[in-house]
Amino acid sequence: MAAYKRVSESVALITLQNPPVNALSAAVRQGIVDTVERALSDPNVTAVVICGQNGVFCGGADIKEFGSNMSGPPLIPMIHAIESANKPVVAAIEGSALGGGLELALGCHYRIAHSKARLGLPEVSLGLLPAAGGSQRLPRLIGVPAALNLITTGRHVTAAEALQLGIVDQVTDHNTVDAAVKFALSVAGRSLDPRRISTYPCPQQPDLDALFEEVMQKVRRSARGAIAPIACVQAVRAAATLPYTQGMAREQELMATLFTSGQARALQYCFFAQRAVGRWRMPSGARWDTSKPRPVHKAAVIGLGTMGRGITVALAQTGLSVIAVETQEKQLMEAKQAVSGMLERGAKRRGVAPALDRIIYSQNIQAVADVDLVIEAVFEDVALKTKVFKQLSAVCKPGTLLCTNTSALDVDQLASETPNPELVVGMHFFAPAHVMKLLEVVYGPRSSPEAVATAMQLGKKMGKASVAVGNCRGFVGNRMLKPYVEQAFFLLEEGATPELVDRALEEFGFPMGVFTMSDLSGLDVGWRVRKGDGLVEPGGASGRSARVRQGRRYSPLGDLLCEHGRFGQKTCRGWYQYDKPGSRVARSDPWLHSFLEAYRAEHGLVARRIDHQEVLERCLYALINEGFHILDDGIAAGPEDIDVIYVSGYGWPRHRGGPMFYANMVGLAKVLERLEHYHQAHPDVPHLQPCSLLRRLVASGSPPIHRWGEVIKKLHSQL
Ligand SMILES: C[C@H](O)[C@H](C)C(=O)SCCNC(=O)CCNC(=O)[C@H](O)C(C)(C)COP(=O)([O-])OP(=O)([O-])OC[C@H]1O[C@@H](n2cnc3c(N)ncnc32)[C@H](O)[C@@H]1OP(=O)([O-])[O-]
């Protein structure tokens, strides 16, 4: 809807009304058409102001309508009617003007923005492009390079940057509507021809072809298979090389290729999944809107290694006071320096003052006596963590929440070491903790809903994609990663090379394949976990028994490389070789290839040709199959929880939606059939045995992902 009223005698004020972000639904578009017509035909009206209800201009087209038959007046002629109006139309931009919302404003003759407003054309992050004239008007208004940057990245700009770019005409700290009405009165009666952006020639660039070639190469590299960024470059190229009308036709043509694409559906699923995981639920029935978070004004971090330092920075950047505790003096001094550096660099990027004074460093755990929440990030050793939890229970004031950053230990066991297990949850960050978006909030059977609510709220405050998951070995992310890595190892035994496996996964869209990632994080990390699982047998890595553990197939390849001191980038040797420690440039290593041949010969394994399809099916379907086990166990509330975890923490390509969404796209019956095929070939690999939940979903006709709940009774999906 759009409300209409006359203000200041002769200004028609049109207010978009569709809470919470005034998205351009069919009803809003109809409201705009009707009210603009009314304003232009009312002789008492000399100017028009368009604004949004509730301090938000417009969040763009209504994404919820994309899945259905679009009805109501189309956007392009609606915006054209405004641009060709014979009375000045001024956009009063508060909150957000994004996508179709900014395109509407670009159709207006003037734009006034509040200093806190955010503007942008983020369609690319939904697998689309600005298709209501944005890709044709923005380059004409601000030039090709700046428009290319905004449209291919989808980034939001501040009002200040929008003014500097020329997107808006004025920025105000006061009431934006009042400022816009005053501005409209001041320009009433002036010629509007110079204000119709579609009539502008596109500012020419020296060597336009070279610019587009360079941008296209950069976009192709970072897109990793996503098609929308490429279409965005092509649309802006049309603006730079074609008259407006032809450019618009090209824009529509390109949009048509994207709108129904699987990638657009995947990215729009991610948009809603990211918001759905905030509406968390626990198997007990406790939920996000009935559990009150506790106030957290002061927090503490125990252990200032790599993770502890990142967590301290992430906490301080929220404005909280932080007590950072490290018992080793040398480690404490080094941590103080590292944390200060990270805070200063972060503050510089964001153009704010670094929060150095918010952190108090101490060697004494007593210092945390009056904090509201503690995050323990000491070395991943159960005895050490238990000792710390006992100390914290003795030192902290009643009601202090005790959170552990463990990535593999039993959260409930740690809770049992304290007098108040209800106050214990896992807060599993990902390295670097002040950069990586994902936060797994892990609740045990005794964790209170308030404790979960508090951790989830703190995660949101830190700008994290926080997902509430149940306590089990590896929680959700690492638990699914195990069969994925296991399959990659088995593929090497059967004839593949690290290069082949990694190329298949990187072409699928992962930033890094399994073996490149293993070299980056260090082979010794996985080795330590396998030792913790009792899987590593010292020196035993030969003969048939070397490839069986706990009655199932096992590959000691990773253990053998570690026994050779090949820990990856840090030792210049791992699955690949590197020129110097820490170098990221992986080069094939002939030693590794002859080692694999010798290994196969020793174990009577005959290498066979393996193609990318098999690599993808075995690695991804084994991971997905574990996802179904996690849903069946009620460890994750819904498929969206798993997908947000993998997209925001494990590099799963966003334009493929996430593991569970991808399984739905491929077809559950196909995933089941392929798992059965591979399990038949490898009966000693239980991770390939299809999960009963997958069978039940296929037997129920493979319902769409948002209806899996009907099959999985204990599912609490929020889609
Ligand atoms: C032709 C044209 O070229 C093309 C084709 C397009 O225009 S394509 C569309 C382009 N527009 C976008 O990409 C902007 C998308 N939105 C955002 O980036 C953010 O929402 C926000 C505006 C910065 C506000 O953030 P927030 O943190 O304050 O709240 P929220 O939790 O995110 O959102 C609050 C609630 O509003 C819902 N919502 C937000 N934007 C929406 C939209 N455009 N359509 C439908 N629902 C929307 C969201 O799902 C959530 O619902 P629920 O979860 O409460 O049920």
Side-chain angles (χ1 to χ4, degrees), residues 668-683:
L668 300 182
K670 166 100 184 280
V671 174
L672 176 59
E673 181 270 323
R674 298 311 291 163
L675 280 168
E676 283 170 336
H677 165 77
Y678 290 121
H679 189 236
Q680 204 166 14
H682 307 282

Side-chain angles (χ1 to χ4, degrees), residues 113-119 155-165 167-168 171:
H114 187 274
S115 54
K116 290 206 172 67
R118 290 279 181 277
L119 302 85
R155 71 185 178 87
H156 301 180
V157 296
T158 62
E161 186 181 354
L163 183 66
Q164 183 252 323
L165 286 169
I167 298 175
V168 300
V171 171

Side-chain angles (χ1 to χ4, degrees), residues 280-281 443 468 631 634-641 714-718:
W280 56 270
R281 309 209 165 192
Y443 54 82
L631 290 174
I635 294 292
E640 66 274 14
D641 297 84
K714 50 180 173 275
L715 195 69
H716 294 299
S717 173
Q718 294 308 296

Side-chain angles (χ1 to χ4, degrees), residues 29-52:
R29 297 196 306 273
Q30 189 61 59
I32 295 172
V33 168
D34 298 345
T35 50
V36 167
E37 231 164 67
R38 181 173 170 193
L40 297 183
S41 58
D42 179 342
N44 301 312
V45 168
T46 60
V48 183
V49 169
I50 299 179
C51 67

